[in-house]
Amino acid sequence: MSQELVSLGPIVLIWLLLNIALIVLLTVKWKLHPLLSIIASTYLFALGTNLIGRLSGISEPVIADIGSTITSGFGSILSSIGLVIIFGTLIGKILEKSGAAIKMAEVVLRLLGDRHPALAMSIIGWIVSIPVFCDSGYVILSSLKKSLAKKTGVGVVALGVALSTGLYASHTLVPPTPGPIAAATNVGLGPDGLFWVIIFGLVISLPVALVGYAWARKVGSKLHSELDEAVETFEEYKENFGKLPSGFMAFAPILVPILLLALGSIANFPVGTNADGEKITMFSGFAYTFFTFIGTPVTALFIGLIIAIFGLLPKRNEETLTKWMSEGLLDAAIIIMITGAGGALGSVIKATPIAEYVKSFVSENSPFVGAGALIFIFIIAALLKTAQGSSTTSLVITSTIVMPLLPSFGLDAMIGSIPVGQVLTVMAIGSGAMVVSHVNDSYFWVVSQFSGMNVTTAYRAQTMATLIQGIAGIILVAILGLILL
């Protein structure tokens, strides 16, 4: 890129920030759907960038073909992640509808008993929200929370916050929840990278969930709810699902894809080089081909979906195979379209001189490299989350913005075959996407209404809990950044 174009970097960067503010304004004030908000801002950003170039005396447009740049960015994201999001969402829908999520809760309760009800709710939420949206997970497990409160004498608010923060931790950090998958793809991670996002996500999200549990114990126990006792017992609620699946089958659609992703990553693990300097992997020949095939995200999740269909559906009929699947596809379609719009914005950003400008800027300002850059990215995600309410939208937009800047931030680092810089970037974005859940977030209302909290109580319990969780998450991510980057 010519020096003449790079000199436009500061102005174009300011123009990008104004367009991000426009996305928030369109979404929050005018209630425009995030998909249309992102696309409208993308066109405006591209046209404005070309105008800036023309006013600066550059004869050729900065972005030569705006239309094809936007469509190629939209399409490339969908081709790489569309089926992954669909399969992951359908698995979550089957777990929700079949009662498998309830069975997971039973397994955890059996292990912990009634001695630690708040801890049990936190762990149950953390597990269930890996494939199931946190809103749905909270609704599904609400009767369990209330009946456990009645049985143990622990307050509904304490159990509600423990459940909500457990769900929230894995919702923003652990695939196959669509938000983290989209963020991982947007920052350029392939199949091997997605496996490491899952591993790092599990490692980071569990302490984050426990921080939420600690807040629930400390503060939630002092707050009161309108729900003094359960409306129905957990046993009565379970009857709505008929016969529940076994514990093994309930967990299998989640654990099997993770195992397959691990095998695919192991198959590609380098163990040396040959005489020509080519990488020698753990497996070769047919074994390599087979394990890399089943270890790709789309194949692994499709196998998980097959297991869910044949192992969890109470009946394979029009109700389950058409209606349930249609509901899952509708959920997936929204995420896919927003992700595609984010890909379009990212494609336009790549075509501008912003990345080159940021590279020259951060080379003179070391706080914006490595762990410092992770904190900066966290702040961007947190501002977007707080302003417009959706964690998934924050994950998609932030990952789109920062992807072209990762080399400049020193976040393209590798440790062997592990893309640790990109993985930690996803973790920083996920931590920011927790901060904070308040009145513009549908999850805030789900938690408050199903726990009988008024708005003031919900701010003290839920909103503050998500703030503390996000801060705990970025502290862990920054520490890993200092060690690994």
Side-chain angles (χ1 to χ4, degrees):
M1 187 171 288
S2 68
Q3 190 60 40
E4 188 179 26
L5 281 177
V6 175
S7 66
L8 298 178
I11 301 174
V12 177
L13 180 59
I14 293 171
W15 178 233
L16 173 62
L17 295 176
L18 290 174
N19 276 269
I20 294 170
L22 176 64
I23 293 173
V24 174
L25 179 65
L26 291 173
T27 306
V28 175
K29 189 171 182 61
W30 291 357
K31 309 302 180 184
L32 190 63
H33 193 279
L35 166 67
L36 298 178
S37 300
I38 297 170
I39 291 295
S41 181
T42 299
Y43 269 104
L44 184 62
F45 174 67
L47 292 168
T49 299
N50 280 350
L51 179 60
I52 291 170
R54 181 60 60 90
L55 293 176
S56 301
I58 299 174
S59 57
E60 296 294 325
V62 178
I63 304 171
D65 190 338
I66 294 174
S68 65
T69 301
I70 289 175
T71 54
S72 64
F74 190 93
S76 63
I77 285 293
L78 295 192
S79 66
S80 62
I81 198 176
L83 287 175
V84 172
I85 290 178
I86 289 172
F87 296 155
T89 306
L90 290 179
I91 290 171
K93 182 60 66 176
I94 293 173
L95 292 174
E96 172 189 338
K97 293 282 192 177
S98 67
I102 295 294
K103 188 63 183 183
M104 293 179 190
E106 277 196 324
V107 172
V108 175
L109 283 175
R110 195 179 304 126
L111 293 174
L112 292 178
D114 297 332
R115 293 169 298 171
H116 307 286
L119 179 60
M121 294 307 300
S122 181
I123 294 174
I124 288 167
W126 179 73
I127 294 171
V128 168
S129 198
I130 292 174
V132 178
F133 286 104
C134 58
D135 306 63
S136 298
Y138 198 89
V139 173
I140 293 167
L141 297 169
S142 183
S143 289
L144 169 62
K145 169 202 67 187
K146 289 184 287 185
S147 61
L148 196 59
K150 182 179 180 180
K151 185 177 181 180
T152 62
V154 176
V156 170
V157 173
L159 294 184
V161 173
L163 174 60
S164 72
T165 52
L167 288 160
Y168 207 43
S170 51
H171 175 76
T172 62
L173 291 169
V174 187
T177 306
I181 289 180
T185 302
N186 285 344
V187 301
L189 288 169
D192 293 348
L194 183 60
F195 168 71
W196 288 109
V197 171
I198 293 174
I199 296 302
F200 275 72
L202 291 171
V203 170
I204 292 172
S205 66
L206 184 55
V208 169
L210 293 177
V211 167
Y213 156 71
W215 180 261
R217 284 286 306 274
K218 180 177 178 60
V219 176
S221 60
K222 301 175 183 177
L223 300 174
H224 300 288
S225 164
E226 297 173 1
L227 303 177
D228 293 327
E229 60 182 29
V231 176
E232 60 180 347
T233 67
F234 183 51
E235 295 300 324
E236 291 171 337
Y237 180 65
K238 276 170 46 180
E239 292 177 3
N240 297 328
F241 295 95
K243 183 180 179 181
L244 294 180
S246 68
F248 174 80
M249 288 309 306
F251 283 96
I254 306 173
L255 297 181
V256 170
I258 293 175
L259 175 62
L260 295 179
L261 287 168
L263 291 172
S265 184
I266 291 170
N268 279 288
F269 191 81
V271 294
T273 56
N274 60 20
D276 298 324
E278 298 173 337
K279 180 177 71 172
I280 300 175
T281 56
M282 185 76 71
F283 297 106
S284 61
F286 174 77
Y288 174 81
T289 303
F290 176 74
F291 286 122
T292 53
F293 167 68
I294 64 172
T296 57
V298 66
T299 305
L301 284 170
F302 182 66
I303 292 172
L305 176 59
I306 295 298
I307 292 171
I309 289 173
F310 286 95
L312 296 179
L313 294 185
K315 295 179 181 178
R316 287 183 286 280
N317 55 19
E318 184 178 359
E319 171 72 14
T320 59
L321 294 176
T322 301
K323 187 177 178 181
W324 290 11
M325 296 301 104
S326 295
E327 291 178 13
L329 289 172
L330 285 174
D331 291 341
I334 297 171
I335 305 300
I336 290 172
M337 293 300 102
I338 294 175
T339 303
L345 175 58
S347 181
V348 170
I349 293 173
K350 290 179 196 175
T352 71
I354 289 177
E356 289 297 323
Y357 167 70
V358 171
K359 182 178 180 180
S360 64
F361 175 79
V362 298
S363 64
E364 302 171 3
N365 297 272
S366 58
F368 290 96
V369 178
L374 292 171
I375 295 173
F376 176 67
I377 291 169
F378 163 83
I379 292 171
I380 295 174
L383 290 173
L384 283 168
K385 162 63 180 177
T386 303
Q388 51 77 45
S390 169
S391 294
T392 300
T393 301
S394 174
L395 280 156
V396 170
I397 296 176
T398 307
S399 57
T400 297
I401 294 168
V402 303
M403 189 274 179
L405 311 178
L406 295 185
S408 304
F409 285 146
L411 295 177
D412 56 347
M414 302 280 292
I415 295 181
S417 61
I418 304 174
V420 65
Q422 292 161 290
V423 171
L424 289 178
T425 298
V426 176
M427 296 297 103
I429 296 170
S431 298
M434 295 182 188
V435 180
V436 290
S437 176
H438 63 106
V439 291
N440 64 356
D441 180 7
S442 62
Y443 189 51
F444 174 88
W445 294 109
V446 168
V447 173
S448 62
Q449 295 307 303
F450 277 83
S451 297
M453 302 184 215
N454 59 36
V455 173
T456 301
T457 300
Y459 263 109
R460 292 178 64 188
Q462 172 69 7
T463 302
M464 286 302 298
T466 58
L467 172 63
I468 293 170
Q469 280 191 293
I471 292 173
I474 190 57
I475 289 173
L476 290 172
V477 173
I479 290 172
L480 288 174
L482 289 171
I483 296 171
L484 301 176
L485 296 177

